[in-house]
Amino acid sequence: MTDAAVSSRILLLGYGNPARGDDGLGPACAAAAASWNLPRLTVDQDYQLKLEDAAAVAAHAVVIFVDAAAEGPAPFAFLAVEPAPLSGFTTHALSPAQLLEIAHRSFGAAPEARLLAIRGYRFDYFCEELSPPAAANLRAAADFLKGYIAALDLADLSS
């Protein structure tokens, strides 16, 4: 992929387990973002971040990770993410920082990265709906995210 193609693309990775109540906030936010049909936005969702995601991360100028947060501010926190060395290795679950490190080491990529941590409250097994306060936090986070993406100047990131 050319530098111009990479510089015009944003990846949103929503992750979590929708069968665990509010843990499904990441995939729910990804589903909302996919409905926006933004031409420069690629949306993906899964239960967790995995090694295979490094190639997708490397192919984008901006990566936004979206996950549920069991603690922290409501309705959400929006944080910068920097690559971090792998302290242990598993092919089944990686942090956003570890995934960025793999993308950098494997592909020489250094996308701008953010974590949208949406506050959840109920993380029960076998509960496939969001709690009412988490659903409200999701709406606030999705509204913020749509505005953030619309205002993002990708030309600044290609240098």
Side-chain angles (χ1 to χ4, degrees):
M1 185 172 289
T2 67
D3 288 340
V6 169
S7 69
S8 66
R9 302 196 53 202
I10 303 163
L11 174 63
L12 185 145
L13 285 171
Y15 57 100
N17 186 344
R20 290 195 57 223
D22 293 348
D23 195 47
L25 282 163
C29 188
S35 75
W36 302 333
N37 295 315
L38 298 176
R40 59 188 185 166
L41 178 64
T42 302
V43 179
D44 197 6
Q45 63 184 37
D46 209 336
Y47 287 102
Q48 58 197 6
L49 300 174
K50 54 196 180 314
L51 185 61
E52 294 85 352
D53 294 323
V57 166
H60 292 82
V62 177
V63 180
I64 302 169
F65 299 97
V66 184
D67 193 13
E71 298 178 356
F76 60 86
F78 193 60
L79 312 164
V81 181
E82 297 293 330
L86 302 171
S87 57
F89 184 73
T90 174
T91 58
H92 294 289
L94 297 167
S95 72
Q98 291 171 323
L99 191 57
L100 287 171
E101 180 71 16
I102 292 168
H104 179 70
R105 286 182 184 219
S106 299
F107 302 99
E112 179 176 315
R114 300 276 186 263
L115 171 63
L116 179 63
I118 306 171
R119 182 67 163 93
Y121 305 92
R122 189 182 66 208
F123 295 86
D124 302 326
Y125 284 98
F126 309 116
C127 175
E128 293 192 19
E129 63 182 44
L130 299 175
S131 67
N137 291 348
L138 172 61
R139 286 188 295 276
D143 287 345
F144 165 80
L145 189 57
K146 190 173 185 181
Y148 175 81
I149 291 170
L152 196 57
D153 185 358
L154 292 174
D156 288 344
L157 299 173
S158 61
S159 55

